[in-house]
Amino acid sequence: MQGAVSVSPAQIPELLLGLATVRPVFLWGAPGIGKSSLVRAFAESLGLECVSLVGTQLAPEDLIGVPQLTPEGRSRFCPPEQIARDEPYCLFLDELNAASPDVQKAFYSLILDRRIGSYELPPGSIVIGAGNRATDGALARPMASALVNRMVHVHLRASAGDWLRWAAGAGIHPWVVDYLTDRPDHLWSAPPKSEEPFSTPRAWHMLSDTLHSFGPTLDDETLKVLAYGLLTPQHAIAFCGYAKIVRNAYGLESILKGDARWPHRPEDRDLLYYLADAFRGRLVKELPASKEHASGAQRQTAFRAKSLLVQLAEISVEVAQTVIADGTDGIPVLPSWFLIEAARDMPRLVEARR
């Protein structure tokens, strides 16, 4: 399911306060963006215990319970202790849309009527479901229309601003916080079609934990193992480059001022990629869309940028091309006037360096 309207994590508590207290809610969102954590935090804010049932780990009898004979010789189903509680609580149905059709069907009355068999959830209890979308490449089954119509559907999107505000008080490693402050667009990336790691808030949190675990003894090769084992490859190489800058006090400003050159050693290729990406970001930020609106300082930046592109291409044409490449949507990221000038002046600048 895709939603025309999505919300950020910061909007969830207020939405759930108005929705989940009166009707069951289903949170849709990509893997790793914090759906489960948000539900647990919301339940805690209401003083309710959060009882999680994972759809992929359930069979219908896990919900309905087992039959038991009454003194009158009749049978009744006894729901499991995990569900049948005396005090109000938050019933969290995680990965509900990944459950088998029989399990989804078993949830019908529990979701809509807050009842299963003869047991009814205590007044004040809330029911919240969550799941990934089929388009995310995650395990997800079609949800029957009868089940869809029993819940209010909310679509969650990742928000770098929300995550960074949370990270500030959650002990997230400063390298992760500082890197994502500079590159908030790297917080999340769409799940790839192939089986490889990809960046999510959860993946960055896991990277933070491993950085804390290794501490100051972490070497560059181990850092690569950690980053490439958790993040989108392009983000991993950029993060490793950033870490080298932090360790060596070697940054883009020094290159822009002419106090340092692009790193050229083969073992510094990740650093080169990171600096090139930061260089591209700086140009996008500083160069105006129209040359007529460029100030003297901006024209000087453009001239210096062309010279730096030549120097970068001498080390790696591939890396230099990433600076002037179009965006993922095929639309140029840098101003067209700068790209035209760069193509025109590049031969002259190359000749001047010979």
Side-chain angles (χ1 to χ4, degrees):
M1 179 182 287
Q2 295 290 342
V5 178
S6 62
V7 299
S8 69
Q11 297 172 276
I12 288 295
E14 185 176 355
L15 270 174
L16 291 182
L17 186 61
L19 292 175
T21 51
V22 294
R23 288 293 179 181
V25 177
F26 193 91
L27 287 180
W28 294 88
I33 64 174
K35 299 184 294 293
S36 303
S37 298
L38 286 168
V39 173
R40 286 192 291 267
F42 174 70
E44 184 179 351
S45 72
L46 296 183
L48 298 176
E49 182 181 0
C50 185
V51 177
S52 298
L53 299 180
V54 182
T56 52
Q57 300 174 4
L58 295 173
E61 54 269 25
D62 294 327
L63 304 175
I64 301 171
V66 295
Q68 183 182 58
L69 285 176
T70 67
E72 294 79 17
R74 299 175 181 176
S75 66
R76 68 177 180 184
F77 282 89
C78 300
E81 184 180 43
Q82 192 174 16
I83 294 177
R85 296 169 177 254
D86 297 326
E87 299 296 326
Y89 67 99
C90 171
L91 178 58
F92 178 39
L93 311 176
D94 201 6
E95 300 180 14
L96 174 59
N97 60 328
S100 67
D102 287 342
V103 171
Q104 291 187 23
K105 191 182 302 181
F107 274 120
Y108 281 12
S109 62
L110 186 59
I111 289 173
L112 183 63
D113 303 321
R114 304 188 184 214
R115 175 190 297 275
I116 188 163
S118 59
Y119 171 76
E120 187 172 352
L121 296 181
S125 297
I126 58 177
V127 179
I128 301 175
N132 303 317
R133 304 161 302 193
T135 52
D136 295 318
L139 176 61
R141 291 185 170 94
M143 192 181 292
S145 59
L147 183 55
V148 170
N149 197 236
R150 279 167 160 79
M151 295 176 287
V152 181
H153 297 267
V154 177
H155 296 263
L156 182 67
R157 66 175 184 271
S159 167
D162 288 354
W163 193 85
L164 287 169
R165 280 188 288 273
W166 167 82
I172 299 299
H173 197 282
W175 287 4
V176 172
V177 173
D178 291 345
Y179 177 81
L180 290 176
T181 298
D182 289 340
R183 294 307 310 262
D185 55 314
H186 284 191
L187 175 67
W188 178 84
S189 60
K193 295 181 180 180
S194 57
E195 295 177 343
E196 63 182 44
F198 59 100
S199 302
T200 66
R202 177 166 57 202
W204 285 107
H205 193 173
M206 293 168 68
L207 179 59
S208 168
D209 289 343
T210 61
L211 293 175
H212 281 306
S213 177
F214 279 94
T217 60
L218 179 67
D219 58 73
D220 289 344
E221 287 305 311
T222 304
L223 177 60
K224 285 184 179 180
V225 172
L226 302 180
Y228 279 88
L230 285 165
L231 306 176
T232 299
Q234 295 88 341
H235 298 174
I237 193 172
F239 182 79
C240 290
Y242 167 80
K244 280 190 176 182
I245 289 176
V246 173
R247 286 175 165 174
N248 302 317
Y250 177 49
L252 180 63
E253 289 298 330
S254 298
I255 296 175
L256 293 176
K257 294 177 181 178
D259 297 333
R261 295 177 56 82
W262 296 110
H264 59 276
R265 298 185 305 171
E267 59 267 31
D268 287 334
R269 186 52 56 93
D270 54 355
L271 175 57
L272 186 66
Y273 268 104
Y274 174 79
L275 289 170
D277 192 50
F279 180 43
R280 172 184 169 96
R282 177 69 66 89
L283 295 179
V284 170
K285 181 179 179 180
E286 293 190 1
L287 297 181
S290 171
K291 185 176 180 180
E292 288 71 23
H293 297 131
S295 65
Q298 290 170 327
R299 291 171 183 264
Q300 186 175 359
T301 297
F303 179 80
R304 174 64 178 155
K306 288 180 284 187
S307 178
L308 288 173
L309 274 173
V310 171
Q311 297 173 26
L312 185 59
E314 290 175 346
I315 301 171
S316 170
V317 173
E318 178 187 359
V319 177
Q321 287 174 337
T322 65
V323 177
I324 59 175
D326 294 342
T328 55
D329 54 4
I331 299 175
V333 174
L334 293 173
S336 57
W337 65 268
F338 172 76
L339 295 175
I340 293 172
E341 285 193 0
R344 182 196 65 199
D345 297 342
M346 204 70 73
R348 177 178 56 81
L349 292 171
V350 170
E351 186 64 29
R353 289 181 54 80
R354 290 178 178 174

